[in-house]
Amino acid sequence: MRLVSYNIHKGIGGRDRRYRLERVIGVLEALNPDLICLQEVDRDVRRTRHDDQPRRFVEAFRSAAHLYQLNVRLKAGGYGNLLLSRWPLNAHHQVSLRLADRKPRGAQIAVVDSPEGPFHLVHWHLGLAEKERHWQARHLLDHHLFRESAHLPTLIVGDFNDWRNTLATGPFASHGFRQLTHPRSRFRSFPAYLPLTALDKAFARGPLTFRQVRIAHSRLARDASDHLPLVIDFHVDHRAQPPAQARPHHARHGTPPHKGLNP
C-alpha cells in the first residue's frame, strides 16, 4: 500500500507563485498512491480562481472515500485538510486543534478498511509555535483516538512544522510511537526548490511494516508547491492483530506492480 502526504500550498508554486493545480495532480498521478493526505487545500478562494479543489481531487482520483476539513475561513471560502482513500472508511471524525487565538488547525482521524486489515490513519497540519505543537499532539493522543479500536495499528502523517524534531521524544515517545522520518537529513521537504528543513513527518504504532519511506524529488514536484511530498510504502501485519480482527488478507508482497487510486 502507498500513502502520500503533501502540503500543496493551495496549488501555488513555491518559486513562480503561479496557480497550477494540474501540476499537483501530475505529481500525485506519478506517485500513484492508495491514500492521499493533502494540507492547504483551497475551496472557493479568489487566489485560486474560486476552484473547488476538494472536488477536483475527488474527480481526478475517483476515490472510494474522502474527507475535507475546512480549518481556516477567509472572507470567501477557506482552506484545510483533504483525505482521499482507495478504500472505505469504517469510522472517521475531525478534530479542531486550535489553541486559544492562534490560527485554526485540525486533524482528521479515520479507520481505513484496507484489504490488508483495518488501521487508524491520522492526518493533520500543526502550528508554527513549539508549545502549540506539543499541546496539539497531546490533545489528540490523550483524548481523540478511537477508544473502541485502540488495538489497531496507527499511522500519523502530515505537515508537523516541527523543524527541531522535538515531538519525537515528547508526546510520541510517551504514547509508544516510532518515527519513520528519521534522520532528518534524509527527509528534508521544505522549501521544495532547495529543501533544507524536514517538516513533513510520519509516526507509527502497532503491527505495521514499512518497505520504504522517502521524500519524492522530481522537477514537477519542485515546481508544484513549496513542499515536497512524503511517500510511505507499508503493509498491515495481520498476523500480529488479535483473532477478533481476523479478516481475509490480500497480501501485496510479490504482487504485480503497485496500483493507486485510479483503477
Side-chain angles (χ1 to χ4, degrees):
M1 299 186 290
R2 173 169 290 176
L3 180 149
V4 171
S5 176
Y6 192 10
N7 184 328
I8 68 166
H9 196 230
K10 301 96 175 174
I12 299 171
R15 276 196 293 189
D16 61 21
R17 309 299 296 174
R18 294 181 178 179
Y19 174 53
R20 299 285 189 273
L21 195 64
E22 61 272 13
R23 295 189 295 198
V24 173
I25 292 172
V27 170
L28 291 168
E29 286 178 337
L31 294 172
N32 200 22
D34 300 301
L35 297 149
I36 302 174
C37 296
L38 304 179
Q39 306 92 50
E40 296 194 12
V41 179
D42 265 1
R43 186 171 66 187
D44 192 27
V45 180
R46 180 179 177 181
R47 67 186 167 213
T48 50
R49 305 171 190 165
H50 296 281
D51 267 358
D52 186 342
Q53 291 185 349
R55 179 184 59 80
R56 288 190 60 183
F57 283 113
V58 169
E59 291 175 352
F61 294 101
R62 300 192 291 274
S63 55
H66 66 275
L67 295 174
Y68 181 59
Q69 181 182 37
L70 183 63
N71 292 322
V72 180
R73 297 181 183 275
L74 306 174
K75 289 182 179 179
Y79 63 94
N81 303 327
L82 177 65
L83 188 158
L84 304 171
S85 174
R86 185 181 182 187
W87 306 294
L89 306 179
N90 288 340
H92 60 81
H93 68 273
Q94 304 190 120
V95 179
S96 171
L97 295 178
R98 186 175 193 178
L99 176 62
D101 60 351
R102 295 187 181 273
K103 178 185 286 189
R105 304 282 181 174
Q108 301 176 299
I109 308 172
V111 176
V112 180
D113 187 20
S114 89
E116 297 185 354
F119 66 93
H120 286 149
L121 175 59
V122 178
H123 168 221
W124 62 15
H125 188 181
L126 300 186
L128 297 177
E130 187 168 303
K131 289 184 178 180
E132 176 188 14
R133 292 191 294 271
H134 278 253
W135 176 87
Q136 290 168 333
R138 289 194 304 270
H139 182 68
L140 185 136
L141 294 173
D142 290 345
H143 303 294
H144 287 288
L145 283 181
F146 293 109
R147 301 302 183 208
E148 65 276 13
S149 52
H151 60 279
L152 292 180
T154 300
L155 180 59
I156 301 181
V157 302
D159 181 351
F160 283 59
N161 272 317
D162 183 23
W163 62 276
R164 294 181 61 223
N165 208 43
T166 61
L167 289 171
T169 55
F172 284 104
S174 64
H175 282 82
F177 282 86
R178 63 193 187 276
Q179 185 173 8
L180 307 178
T181 46
H182 181 78
R184 285 180 289 169
S185 58
R186 290 182 48 215
F187 294 95
R188 293 171 179 160
S189 59
F190 179 87
Y193 55 86
L194 184 64
L196 300 172
T197 306
L199 299 183
D200 303 278
K201 300 178 187 293
F203 287 78
R205 182 176 69 185
L208 295 168
T209 58
F210 296 89
R211 296 173 55 199
Q212 187 178 47
V213 182
R214 64 185 173 92
I215 298 295
H217 295 267
S218 70
R219 175 62 184 271
L220 187 58
R222 290 195 298 270
D223 291 339
S225 172
D226 62 350
H227 285 243
L228 293 171
L230 172 64
V231 183
I232 303 171
D233 293 327
F234 70 104
H235 295 280
V236 176
D237 187 356
H238 69 108
R239 295 165 300 178
Q241 294 195 42
Q245 295 300 309
R247 48 176 294 149
H249 175 66
H250 307 287
R252 293 201 175 221
H253 296 283
T255 57
H258 178 86
K259 295 183 179 179
L261 284 174
N262 288 318

